[in-house]
Amino acid sequence: MNLWCISEKKFDPTPKKLHSQETVYTVGNGYFCTRGTFEEGYLRANPATLLYGVFDSVPIAKEELANAPDWTPIGLLINGERFRLDRGTILDYQRTLDMHNGILSRSVHWESPRGVRVHISSERIASLADEHVAAMRYSVTADQQNNAPLNIELWSCFNTAVGNYDLMHWETLDQGREGEILWLYTETKTTLVRLTQTMSFGTQGQAFHEEFVPSYVAPCILLHGTLEPGTTVTADKVVVMYTSRDGVEPVQAARTHHQQLIETTPVIFDALQAKNQEAWHQFWQDADVIIEGDADAQVGVRYNIYQLRINASSHDDRYSIAAKGMTGFGYRGHIFHDTEIFMLPFFVYTLPSIARNLVMYRYHLLPEARKKAASNGYEGAQYPWESTLSGEETTPPAIIHPETGELIPVLNGSLELHISASVAHATWQYWTITGDDQFMRDYGAEIVLSTAMFWASRAQKNMQHNDYEITNVIGPDEWHEHVNNNVFTNYIARWNIRVALDIWHWLQRTAPRKAAQLEQQLDLTVQRLDHWQDVVKHMRILQDKQSGLFEQFDGFFELEPLDEQKYKGRTDSYQGILGMKEVQKRRFIKQADVLMLLTVLDQEFDLATKRVNWDYYYPITDHDYGSSLTPAFHVILACELGKVKEAYELFMKGALIDLENLRGNTPEGIHVACSGALWQAAILGFAGLCLTPEGYTTNPHWPDGWTRLAFTFKYKGESIRVDLRR
């Protein structure tokens, strides 16, 4: 078993498998991702190339990442017969994603309906070394047993007839040819983002002729010739992409870039792949997690790290990582707190420059966050539950429930408030781990202070109890709406205000000029700061002082228990089975809520508190069909409590969620937040990494079979290698 590769050795044409594998075999580089559809196409396939931050408008959900013209098509005709996986006979098949070298390959031994046999192989890259470049190598070999030469036609083009399922976002502005380069110039229909894609397609085969075929829709290149039995023709396709978001004129930039590639690289695919491979090797030196003694866990963790990298730009801080990244149409490319809570730690510890960009995205959106708070009657900055480029709330007001089919209101945009504290936590975490004081001074402090201001105005004084409440919210457990005093929300809001006060005092000491500027800008009067202190001191936290058990929200303990025995063998979530209204009456939760608090703010709680809450909440959480986010996230807490068997089972659910389509929704895209949670599970859970002002410690917990756990992380500018052996 190659521990760097994901492979399939059988072609499964069922739509569910076909579409989930399109997601699994995505290639990308942070500028764009391309789903693993086949070059020659397939019936009801969902090809997609999504570009970082390139949106177009849609009804209700406001906007979505716009599926660009497909750059991958290569059509093959053999003696006039079209190569199709749904025709003829597949004699042998293999597809492999080599994560170490950043290349997707496929080989097929195929017999046509008329009995002609050929071997077809393809390789595909999205260059990590040059984000604007994609390339493919396509080879056809005639079997020795064929009685006569084969007439071969290879057609290469752009496919403009692709959309986000049935919704088309691009219109063609122009097309043309310059020497051996064809180009297509398109524009999104409403946001008016312009995209240029250039293409060259050629072969070293002397017996093959090249034709440029004009088309009203998109230009095409045809290579045609003959293949003697036992001989091979290999064609290379190179594509360059630029958009108007790049700050250049896309047509000229793409054509110039492509021409330079042709002039400076004799065998262009080999040269591009060599540079791509070098970039991937450098990435893995920083980011690899080595697990010895468990091949499935090793491949699973590497696959999820691969996904984190291909879905994050190395330099663009105008956008962040969506819940499904750029691997599918799920969640339309919208940003949630998934990025800050689940994905960001990987980047903070391994690629801090990208982590900084992810937090800077939130800084750029502060003006809109302030507008949202003001529109709701509050001060400070209230971040939207879903956002894209503008920072406006993009949560749709209603959706058709994917499990029940009922039209349901979506209240998260107005009630799920804890994202504002998640953004503050991400800001604080980036600062404390990297030591980037300049960032905190110039940008981060304003985020943390502005979100603290929101919480201090959102918390309501209860004169009877002499404390502060936060009412009418949705906590991380989204199966219960309109709840009061959700522990996660109240506690992390209090933490947000407390840390803001600490940062304010730090700013006054280290950067008094900046402190004076923010004091005036945010109206940080003595009275306001005294009020913050009062909220911190008197925030209502629902916890039994003797046992340490938290009550998830007011009245949670009085809800009806759920008899799980009635639903043995289920293949749906309890919300899908019971419906929206009924599940809210049950003392059963979608995902970690109280337990997420104990993990995110790990240092705030002792082991006894963690144990009593685990014992209560873990059994009443839907680990199989609730949220994909928290099975891997539970691992950290399970390891602390010595529950290594449970931790390993949860870890593997996270590791295989997409590779085995465990939730049935991988066709919609990769669960990138789960990828981030899995990294945290390995490093903060099984390795037990803990950072302190004095340095770091580890406290490894070993699942059966594991003999080694090694990784690299960065702490305040220093790269540290950890190699744990059992």
mmCIF file with all atom_site columns, all heavy atoms in Angstrom, residues 298-311:
data_model
loop_
_atom_site.group_PDB
_atom_site.id
_atom_site.type_symbol
_atom_site.label_atom_id
_atom_site.label_alt_id
_atom_site.label_comp_id
_atom_site.label_asym_id
_atom_site.label_entity_id
_atom_site.label_seq_id
_atom_site.pdbx_PDB_ins_code
_atom_site.Cartn_x
_atom_site.Cartn_y
_atom_site.Cartn_z
_atom_site.occupancy
_atom_site.B_iso_or_equiv
_atom_site.pdbx_formal_charge
_atom_site.auth_seq_id
_atom_site.auth_comp_id
_atom_site.auth_asym_id
_atom_site.auth_atom_id
_atom_site.pdbx_PDB_model_num
ATOM 1   N N   . GLN A 1 298 ? -2.698  6.747  8.379  1.00 0.00 ? 298 GLN A N   1
ATOM 2   C CA  . GLN A 1 298 ? -1.669  7.536  7.716  1.00 0.00 ? 298 GLN A CA  1
ATOM 3   C C   . GLN A 1 298 ? -2.188  8.154  6.422  1.00 0.00 ? 298 GLN A C   1
ATOM 4   O O   . GLN A 1 298 ? -2.034  9.356  6.181  1.00 0.00 ? 298 GLN A O   1
ATOM 5   C CB  . GLN A 1 298 ? -0.449  6.664  7.423  1.00 0.00 ? 298 GLN A CB  1
ATOM 6   C CG  . GLN A 1 298 ? 0.644   7.368  6.661  1.00 0.00 ? 298 GLN A CG  1
ATOM 7   C CD  . GLN A 1 298 ? 1.305   8.488  7.433  1.00 0.00 ? 298 GLN A CD  1
ATOM 8   O OE1 . GLN A 1 298 ? 2.302   8.278  8.099  1.00 0.00 ? 298 GLN A OE1 1
ATOM 9   N NE2 . GLN A 1 298 ? 0.769   9.700  7.354  1.00 0.00 ? 298 GLN A NE2 1
ATOM 10  N N   . VAL A 1 299 ? -2.802  7.344  5.580  1.00 0.00 ? 299 VAL A N   1
ATOM 11  C CA  . VAL A 1 299 ? -3.324  7.867  4.316  1.00 0.00 ? 299 VAL A CA  1
ATOM 12  C C   . VAL A 1 299 ? -4.429  8.881  4.581  1.00 0.00 ? 299 VAL A C   1
ATOM 13  O O   . VAL A 1 299 ? -4.507  9.930  3.930  1.00 0.00 ? 299 VAL A O   1
ATOM 14  C CB  . VAL A 1 299 ? -3.831  6.718  3.419  1.00 0.00 ? 299 VAL A CB  1
ATOM 15  C CG1 . VAL A 1 299 ? -4.520  7.267  2.177  1.00 0.00 ? 299 VAL A CG1 1
ATOM 16  C CG2 . VAL A 1 299 ? -2.671  5.816  3.003  1.00 0.00 ? 299 VAL A CG2 1
ATOM 17  N N   . GLY A 1 300 ? -5.281  8.585  5.558  1.00 0.00 ? 300 GLY A N   1
ATOM 18  C CA  . GLY A 1 300 ? -6.395  9.482  5.861  1.00 0.00 ? 300 GLY A CA  1
ATOM 19  C C   . GLY A 1 300 ? -5.944  10.853 6.318  1.00 0.00 ? 300 GLY A C   1
ATOM 20  O O   . GLY A 1 300 ? -6.462  11.876 5.872  1.00 0.00 ? 300 GLY A O   1
ATOM 21  N N   . VAL A 1 301 ? -4.953  10.918 7.191  1.00 0.00 ? 301 VAL A N   1
ATOM 22  C CA  . VAL A 1 301 ? -4.509  12.221 7.685  1.00 0.00 ? 301 VAL A CA  1
ATOM 23  C C   . VAL A 1 301 ? -3.809  12.995 6.574  1.00 0.00 ? 301 VAL A C   1
ATOM 24  O O   . VAL A 1 301 ? -3.985  14.217 6.442  1.00 0.00 ? 301 VAL A O   1
ATOM 25  C CB  . VAL A 1 301 ? -3.624  12.073 8.939  1.00 0.00 ? 301 VAL A CB  1
ATOM 26  C CG1 . VAL A 1 301 ? -2.216  11.591 8.622  1.00 0.00 ? 301 VAL A CG1 1
ATOM 27  C CG2 . VAL A 1 301 ? -3.565  13.379 9.717  1.00 0.00 ? 301 VAL A CG2 1
ATOM 28  N N   . ARG A 1 302 ? -3.031  12.309 5.731  1.00 0.00 ? 302 ARG A N   1
ATOM 29  C CA  . ARG A 1 302 ? -2.382  13.004 4.627  1.00 0.00 ? 302 ARG A CA  1
ATOM 30  C C   . ARG A 1 302 ? -3.402  13.522 3.625  1.00 0.00 ? 302 ARG A C   1
ATOM 31  O O   . ARG A 1 302 ? -3.248  14.628 3.079  1.00 0.00 ? 302 ARG A O   1
ATOM 32  C CB  . ARG A 1 302 ? -1.382  12.068 3.941  1.00 0.00 ? 302 ARG A CB  1
ATOM 33  C CG  . ARG A 1 302 ? -0.087  11.937 4.707  1.00 0.00 ? 302 ARG A CG  1
ATOM 34  C CD  . ARG A 1 302 ? 0.875   10.956 4.084  1.00 0.00 ? 302 ARG A CD  1
ATOM 35  N NE  . ARG A 1 302 ? 2.173   11.025 4.759  1.00 0.00 ? 302 ARG A NE  1
ATOM 36  C CZ  . ARG A 1 302 ? 3.056   10.028 4.767  1.00 0.00 ? 302 ARG A CZ  1
ATOM 37  N NH1 . ARG A 1 302 ? 2.785   8.887  4.140  1.00 0.00 ? 302 ARG A NH1 1
ATOM 38  N NH2 . ARG A 1 302 ? 4.203   10.179 5.393  1.00 0.00 ? 302 ARG A NH2 1
ATOM 39  N N   . TYR A 1 303 ? -4.441  12.750 3.372  1.00 0.00 ? 303 TYR A N   1
ATOM 40  C CA  . TYR A 1 303 ? -5.454  13.213 2.422  1.00 0.00 ? 303 TYR A CA  1
ATOM 41  C C   . TYR A 1 303 ? -6.128  14.483 2.924  1.00 0.00 ? 303 TYR A C   1
ATOM 42  O O   . TYR A 1 303 ? -6.361  15.423 2.159  1.00 0.00 ? 303 TYR A O   1
ATOM 43  C CB  . TYR A 1 303 ? -6.507  12.124 2.187  1.00 0.00 ? 303 TYR A CB  1
ATOM 44  C CG  . TYR A 1 303 ? -7.558  12.550 1.192  1.00 0.00 ? 303 TYR A CG  1
ATOM 45  C CD1 . TYR A 1 303 ? -7.262  12.600 -0.165 1.00 0.00 ? 303 TYR A CD1 1
ATOM 46  C CD2 . TYR A 1 303 ? -8.826  12.936 1.605  1.00 0.00 ? 303 TYR A CD2 1
ATOM 47  C CE1 . TYR A 1 303 ? -8.207  13.015 -1.088 1.00 0.00 ? 303 TYR A CE1 1
ATOM 48  C CE2 . TYR A 1 303 ? -9.775  13.347 0.690  1.00 0.00 ? 303 TYR A CE2 1
ATOM 49  C CZ  . TYR A 1 303 ? -9.463  13.379 -0.652 1.00 0.00 ? 303 TYR A CZ  1
ATOM 50  O OH  . TYR A 1 303 ? -10.401 13.811 -1.562 1.00 0.00 ? 303 TYR A OH  1
ATOM 51  N N   . ASN A 1 304 ? -6.411  14.533 4.204  1.00 0.00 ? 304 ASN A N   1
ATOM 52  C CA  . ASN A 1 304 ? -7.083  15.717 4.746  1.00 0.00 ? 304 ASN A CA  1
ATOM 53  C C   . ASN A 1 304 ? -6.155  16.923 4.801  1.00 0.00 ? 304 ASN A C   1
ATOM 54  O O   . ASN A 1 304 ? -6.602  18.061 4.605  1.00 0.00 ? 304 ASN A O   1
ATOM 55  C CB  . ASN A 1 304 ? -7.672  15.387 6.118  1.00 0.00 ? 304 ASN A CB  1
ATOM 56  C CG  . ASN A 1 304 ? -8.959  14.582 6.000  1.00 0.00 ? 304 ASN A CG  1
ATOM 57  O OD1 . ASN A 1 304 ? -10.026 15.131 5.746  1.00 0.00 ? 304 ASN A OD1 1
ATOM 58  N ND2 . ASN A 1 304 ? -8.856  13.264 6.144  1.00 0.00 ? 304 ASN A ND2 1
ATOM 59  N N   . ILE A 1 305 ? -4.872  16.710 5.017  1.00 0.00 ? 305 ILE A N   1
ATOM 60  C CA  . ILE A 1 305 ? -3.913  17.817 4.942  1.00 0.00 ? 305 ILE A CA  1
ATOM 61  C C   . ILE A 1 305 ? -3.822  18.324 3.504  1.00 0.00 ? 305 ILE A C   1
ATOM 62  O O   . ILE A 1 305 ? -3.759  19.541 3.265  1.00 0.00 ? 305 ILE A O   1
ATOM 63  C CB  . ILE A 1 305 ? -2.537  17.360 5.464  1.00 0.00 ? 305 ILE A CB  1
ATOM 64  C CG1 . ILE A 1 305 ? -2.607  17.112 6.975  1.00 0.00 ? 305 ILE A CG1 1
ATOM 65  C CG2 . ILE A 1 305 ? -1.459  18.397 5.152  1.00 0.00 ? 305 ILE A CG2 1
ATOM 66  C CD1 . ILE A 1 305 ? -1.366  16.439 7.547  1.00 0.00 ? 305 ILE A CD1 1
ATOM 67  N N   . TYR A 1 306 ? -3.813  17.410 2.554  1.00 0.00 ? 306 TYR A N   1
ATOM 68  C CA  . TYR A 1 306 ? -3.822  17.785 1.127  1.00 0.00 ? 306 TYR A CA  1
ATOM 69  C C   . TYR A 1 306 ? -5.011  18.684 0.824  1.00 0.00 ? 306 TYR A C   1
ATOM 70  O O   . TYR A 1 306 ? -4.885  19.715 0.142  1.00 0.00 ? 306 TYR A O   1
ATOM 71  C CB  . TYR A 1 306 ? -3.864  16.512 0.285  1.00 0.00 ? 306 TYR A CB  1
ATOM 72  C CG  . TYR A 1 306 ? -4.193  16.703 -1.174 1.00 0.00 ? 306 TYR A CG  1
ATOM 73  C CD1 . TYR A 1 306 ? -3.200  17.035 -2.105 1.00 0.00 ? 306 TYR A CD1 1
ATOM 74  C CD2 . TYR A 1 306 ? -5.498  16.539 -1.640 1.00 0.00 ? 306 TYR A CD2 1
ATOM 75  C CE1 . TYR A 1 306 ? -3.513  17.198 -3.450 1.00 0.00 ? 306 TYR A CE1 1
ATOM 76  C CE2 . TYR A 1 306 ? -5.809  16.703 -2.982 1.00 0.00 ? 306 TYR A CE2 1
ATOM 77  C CZ  . TYR A 1 306 ? -4.813  17.028 -3.882 1.00 0.00 ? 306 TYR A CZ  1
ATOM 78  O OH  . TYR A 1 306 ? -5.121  17.200 -5.213 1.00 0.00 ? 306 TYR A OH  1
ATOM 79  N N   . GLN A 1 307 ? -6.179  18.339 1.340  1.00 0.00 ? 307 GLN A N   1
ATOM 80  C CA  . GLN A 1 307 ? -7.380  19.137 1.083  1.00 0.00 ? 307 GLN A CA  1
ATOM 81  C C   . GLN A 1 307 ? -7.268  20.535 1.691  1.00 0.00 ? 307 GLN A C   1
ATOM 82  O O   . GLN A 1 307 ? -7.691  21.520 1.088  1.00 0.00 ? 307 GLN A O   1
ATOM 83  C CB  . GLN A 1 307 ? -8.624  18.420 1.619  1.00 0.00 ? 307 GLN A CB  1
ATOM 84  C CG  . GLN A 1 307 ? -9.033  17.203 0.831  1.00 0.00 ? 307 GLN A CG  1
ATOM 85  C CD  . GLN A 1 307 ? -9.451  17.548 -0.586 1.00 0.00 ? 307 GLN A CD  1
ATOM 86  O OE1 . GLN A 1 307 ? -9.857  18.675 -0.880 1.00 0.00 ? 307 GLN A OE1 1
ATOM 87  N NE2 . GLN A 1 307 ? -9.342  16.579 -1.481 1.00 0.00 ? 307 GLN A NE2 1
ATOM 88  N N   . LEU A 1 308 ? -6.703  20.629 2.879  1.00 0.00 ? 308 LEU A N   1
ATOM 89  C CA  . LEU A 1 308 ? -6.528  21.947 3.495  1.00 0.00 ? 308 LEU A CA  1
ATOM 90  C C   . LEU A 1 308 ? -5.655  22.844 2.621  1.00 0.00 ? 308 LEU A C   1
ATOM 91  O O   . LEU A 1 308 ? -5.945  24.026 2.440  1.00 0.00 ? 308 LEU A O   1
ATOM 92  C CB  . LEU A 1 308 ? -5.916  21.795 4.885  1.00 0.00 ? 308 LEU A CB  1
ATOM 93  C CG  . LEU A 1 308 ? -6.844  21.231 5.968  1.00 0.00 ? 308 LEU A CG  1
ATOM 94  C CD1 . LEU A 1 308 ? -6.039  20.748 7.160  1.00 0.00 ? 308 LEU A CD1 1
ATOM 95  C CD2 . LEU A 1 308 ? -7.880  22.262 6.397  1.00 0.00 ? 308 LEU A CD2 1
ATOM 96  N N   . ARG A 1 309 ? -4.612  22.261 2.043  1.00 0.00 ? 309 ARG A N   1
ATOM 97  C CA  . ARG A 1 309 ? -3.707  23.081 1.236  1.00 0.00 ? 309 ARG A CA  1
ATOM 98  C C   . ARG A 1 309 ? -4.317  23.520 -0.084 1.00 0.00 ? 309 ARG A C   1
ATOM 99  O O   . ARG A 1 309 ? -4.165  24.684 -0.493 1.00 0.00 ? 309 ARG A O   1
ATOM 100 C CB  . ARG A 1 309 ? -2.393  22.319 0.969  1.00 0.00 ? 309 ARG A CB  1
ATOM 101 C CG  . ARG A 1 309 ? -1.397  23.125 0.121  1.00 0.00 ? 309 ARG A CG  1
ATOM 102 C CD  . ARG A 1 309 ? -1.001  24.413 0.824  1.00 0.00 ? 309 ARG A CD  1
ATOM 103 N NE  . ARG A 1 309 ? -0.265  25.344 -0.027 1.00 0.00 ? 309 ARG A NE  1
ATOM 104 C CZ  . ARG A 1 309 ? -0.828  26.303 -0.768 1.00 0.00 ? 309 ARG A CZ  1
ATOM 105 N NH1 . ARG A 1 309 ? -2.149  26.466 -0.784 1.00 0.00 ? 309 ARG A NH1 1
ATOM 106 N NH2 . ARG A 1 309 ? -0.084  27.118 -1.477 1.00 0.00 ? 309 ARG A NH2 1
ATOM 107 N N   . ILE A 1 310 ? -5.000  22.638 -0.784 1.00 0.00 ? 310 ILE A N   1
ATOM 108 C CA  . ILE A 1 310 ? -5.467  22.996 -2.131 1.00 0.00 ? 310 ILE A CA  1
ATOM 109 C C   . ILE A 1 310 ? -6.623  23.986 -2.092 1.00 0.00 ? 310 ILE A C   1
ATOM 110 O O   . ILE A 1 310 ? -6.924  24.624 -3.107 1.00 0.00 ? 310 ILE A O   1
ATOM 111 C CB  . ILE A 1 310 ? -5.864  21.760 -2.968 1.00 0.00 ? 310 ILE A CB  1
ATOM 112 C CG1 . ILE A 1 310 ? -7.142  21.093 -2.441 1.00 0.00 ? 310 ILE A CG1 1
ATOM 113 C CG2 . ILE A 1 310 ? -4.715  20.777 -3.062 1.00 0.00 ? 310 ILE A CG2 1
ATOM 114 C CD1 . ILE A 1 310 ? -7.677  19.989 -3.346 1.00 0.00 ? 310 ILE A CD1 1
ATOM 115 N N   . ASN A 1 311 ? -7.240  24.167 -0.930 1.00 0.00 ? 311 ASN A N   1
ATOM 116 C CA  . ASN A 1 311 ? -8.398  25.053 -0.837 1.00 0.00 ? 311 ASN A CA  1
ATOM 117 C C   . ASN A 1 311 ? -8.078  26.413 -0.230 1.00 0.00 ? 311 ASN A C   1
ATOM 118 O O   . ASN A 1 311 ? -8.986  27.211 -0.002 1.00 0.00 ? 311 ASN A O   1
ATOM 119 C CB  . ASN A 1 311 ? -9.507  24.367 -0.030 1.00 0.00 ? 311 ASN A CB  1
ATOM 120 C CG  . ASN A 1 311 ? -10.202 23.292 -0.830 1.00 0.00 ? 311 ASN A CG  1
ATOM 121 O OD1 . ASN A 1 311 ? -10.945 23.582 -1.765 1.00 0.00 ? 311 ASN A OD1 1
ATOM 122 N ND2 . ASN A 1 311 ? -9.961  22.034 -0.496 1.00 0.00 ? 311 ASN A ND2 1
#
